[in-house]
Amino acid sequence: MAGRPVNDRPRLVCASANPDKVAEMEAILAGVVELIPRPGQVPDVVEDADTLEGNARLKAVAICEATGSAAVADDTGLEVAALGGAPGVHSARYAGEASSYADNRAKLLAELRGAADRSARFRTCVVVCAPDGTEVVVEGVCDGTISATERGDRGFGYDSVFQPVDGDGRTFAEMTDDEKNAISHRGRALRALLAALT
Ligand code: IMP
């Protein structure tokens, strides 16, 4: 379904405009999928679906239609048990429409102050959409806990407050890129995609 160039590596246009996510996608898909950058002239998609899968599909379909090529989109949410699954699909704008990563982390830590249950999980939904209308949908989940304070200066988004259960107590922001990608929601989703495509 994905476009096949001469070297037979699947070729996908990346629907994401977030450089932090694109860097991880490139590292995880390296050597297996050729990731083509999102064309700059395509307007941003309004992500107004109420599920991660719905938003990923909106982005993948928009880029597929604009380019005429197979496209891949990732939508990710942080689901916190004590907050009933919030911020979830609203993770990017948790502290308001124009909120920064730091604003969102500050709101999350404030909401969880004194909470006994700090369990959470990242969920990534990846949708690949091809011009013939076929699609592949995969998901990756990473369970963890929200730390009491921010730790680490790598990564992005909520990385400095998220300790994965499959790690050693460090937050994602205290890990190298390879360590994060080996156990992260995005790593798991994209490896499931590779299994589906190859
Ligand atoms: P998006 O809608 O998929 O771009 O992601 C929603 C928000 O989740 C982003 O703005 C980030 O704040 C956060 N996010 C997504 N992926 C990650 C990650 O791998 N680590 C930390 N935060 C993330």
Side-chain angles (χ1 to χ4, degrees):
M1 57 105 57
R4 296 259 173 193
V6 181
N7 65 11
D8 213 31
R9 266 197 297 162
R11 175 181 241 171
L12 299 173
V13 182
C14 184
S16 181
N18 177 333
D20 298 311
K21 284 172 41 169
V22 174
E24 289 191 2
M25 293 171 81
E26 281 173 343
I28 297 162
L29 298 174
V32 189
V33 166
E34 188 179 351
L35 206 57
I36 312 295
R38 177 195 160 97
Q41 73 277 14
V42 182
D44 281 346
V45 175
V46 179
E47 298 180 37
D48 57 2
D50 54 10
T51 61
L52 298 175
E53 181 177 329
N55 279 332
R57 182 173 290 108
L58 284 173
K59 292 184 271 190
V61 167
I63 296 300
C64 180
E65 286 177 350
T67 62
S69 301
V72 59
D74 148 332
D75 205 61
T76 296
L78 177 65
E79 300 169 350
V80 180
L83 302 177
V89 73
H90 305 295
S91 294
R93 292 170 295 281
Y94 186 43
E97 270 310 309
S99 55
S100 66
Y101 289 154
D103 295 336
N104 291 333
R105 291 192 302 267
K107 176 169 178 181
L108 179 63
L109 292 182
E111 294 284 337
L112 288 184
R113 198 163 294 135
D117 179 2
R118 304 186 73 88
S119 60
R121 69 183 168 198
F122 270 117
R123 183 189 298 278
T124 289
C125 184
V126 170
V127 173
V128 170
C129 170
D132 67 3
T134 57
E135 65 171 30
V136 178
V137 180
V138 291
E139 190 176 272
V141 170
C142 181
D143 290 307
T145 56
I146 303 300
S147 55
T149 56
E150 296 200 30
R151 296 201 321 267
D153 53 13
R154 304 180 64 98
F156 68 99
Y158 298 92
D159 278 348
S160 59
V161 296
F162 187 84
Q163 294 172 221
V165 293
D166 290 333
D168 55 9
R170 285 178 293 164
T171 66
F172 272 151
E174 295 175 301
M175 297 181 180
T176 65
D177 296 347
D178 286 349
E179 286 173 327
K180 178 185 173 186
N181 292 340
I183 57 173
S184 77
H185 41 294
R186 184 165 296 104
R188 287 173 174 156
L190 291 174
R191 284 188 291 276
L193 177 67
L194 292 178
L197 290 181
T198 55

